[in-house]
Amino acid sequence: MKHDNMLAMILAGGRGTRLHDLTKKVAKPAVSYGGKYRIIDFPLSNCANSGIDIVGVLTQYESVLLNSYAAAGRRWGLDAKDSGVYVLPPREKADANLDVYRGTADAISQNIDFIDTYSPDYLLILSGDHIYKMNYDKMLEYHKQNNADATIAVIEVPMKEASRFGIMNTDETGHIVEFEEKPEHPKSNLASMGIYIFNWKLLRKILLADMKNADSNHDFGKDIIPTMLNDGKSLYAYKFKGYWKDVGTIDSLWEANMDLLDKNNKLDLNDPNWKIYTEDATALPQYIGADATVERAFITQGCIVDGTVKNSVLFTGAKVAAGAKVIDSVLMPGAEVAEGAVVTRALVADGIKIGKNAVVGDAASENIELVAKRVKGDE
């Protein structure tokens, strides 16, 4: 399954501002998900399972935790002699105070030397902040079969949501005829997943030209792909069928966790044929007290439940005291709900304590409440 000719680069520099306090000190791809995972585990595990040996992780904001986490390549089996995960922070200072990439294409341009070291035939570019399982090797086969210059993974989204995405308009063969960035009146519902395969020699030339262009945003969606289409290059859409979630907001992160409660959830984190690898947290088994009530819940190791948990996801080390109720909520690692407290339709951040008899969230609220500061209760 090994192929030396495709190298992967994960764009993991997203600031994730719409996740508010969750990303104040942690880069978005390092945010916790699904009880014991981090978002970055998904693209890294997909690379390992697809037989890709060399992965560059491009980081920028609040990246200390992410850097050390991703550098431990053995977690994903990417630590053999000829494989590895390489953390690549920005090299150039865009301005005096900020060490950042100017755009998604600039992130790749600044690392041309790194990519050239391995002289790949193909470059796979991935977003570091989506939750999905995908075999990139199959996408590469599709790319080769079509003799494409670039292949873009797409997923069908509801037509009413299409204007939130980059939309690919294709002919019946899958050949991309037009690309529209967040169109007001979309012509199709094929949304770009931010997963690209390029022929490296060609992309390298385009990136070098783009670096010199003062009017460019140095972005794949805004500049590189439109340039390739204008130049008559051959671009194909690779249709992905399966679970895919962009977890850019509190509501979507909550939804992605809630999806795990569905027995027919396509993500299936227990699939032995496509493992999602993560940090092995040392924690005791979960403990459910004799008087606890648990209905439809996803409870990870290290949790202690003495109260009521309904339709909720509890991450490693979360605690629900006697008489407390957690309903339609997500408790992130180490979150604690004291006696008599009630938590409804909320996402409680790592290590946050909710005091005795406190009430958080509301069953009737349209949006999920993010609890990122301690909630005082009865003293």
Side-chain angles (χ1 to χ4, degrees), residues 303-317:
C303 290
I304 298 174
V305 179
D306 284 308
T308 298
V309 175
K310 289 184 182 173
N311 200 48
S312 294
V313 178
L314 275 57
F315 290 39
T316 312

Side-chain angles (χ1 to χ4, degrees), residues 78-101:
L78 293 167
D79 61 338
K81 188 164 84 64
D82 297 321
S83 64
V85 178
Y86 298 90
V87 175
L88 305 163
R91 274 187 244 172
E92 295 174 13
K93 288 207 181 312
D95 67 40
N97 313 317
L98 214 52
D99 238 358
V100 292
Y101 291 122

Side-chain angles (χ1 to χ4, degrees), residues 26-100:
V26 179
K28 182 175 164 188
V31 167
S32 302
Y33 165 77
K36 62 178 182 179
Y37 301 95
R38 292 185 188 275
I39 297 169
I40 189 92
D41 290 336
F42 288 83
L44 281 168
S45 298
N46 288 339
C47 285
N49 291 328
S50 301
I52 294 166
D53 304 322
I54 304 293
V55 183
V57 179
L58 307 169
T59 63
Q60 49 187 352
Y61 307 109
E62 296 300 349
S63 59
V64 178
L65 172 74
L66 181 60
N67 291 352
S68 60
Y69 185 75
R74 62 181 178 280
R75 218 168 266 148
W76 302 276
L78 293 167
D79 61 338
K81 188 164 84 64
D82 297 321
S83 64
V85 178
Y86 298 90
V87 175
L88 305 163
R91 274 187 244 172
E92 295 174 13
K93 288 207 181 312
D95 67 40
N97 313 317
L98 214 52
D99 238 358
V100 292

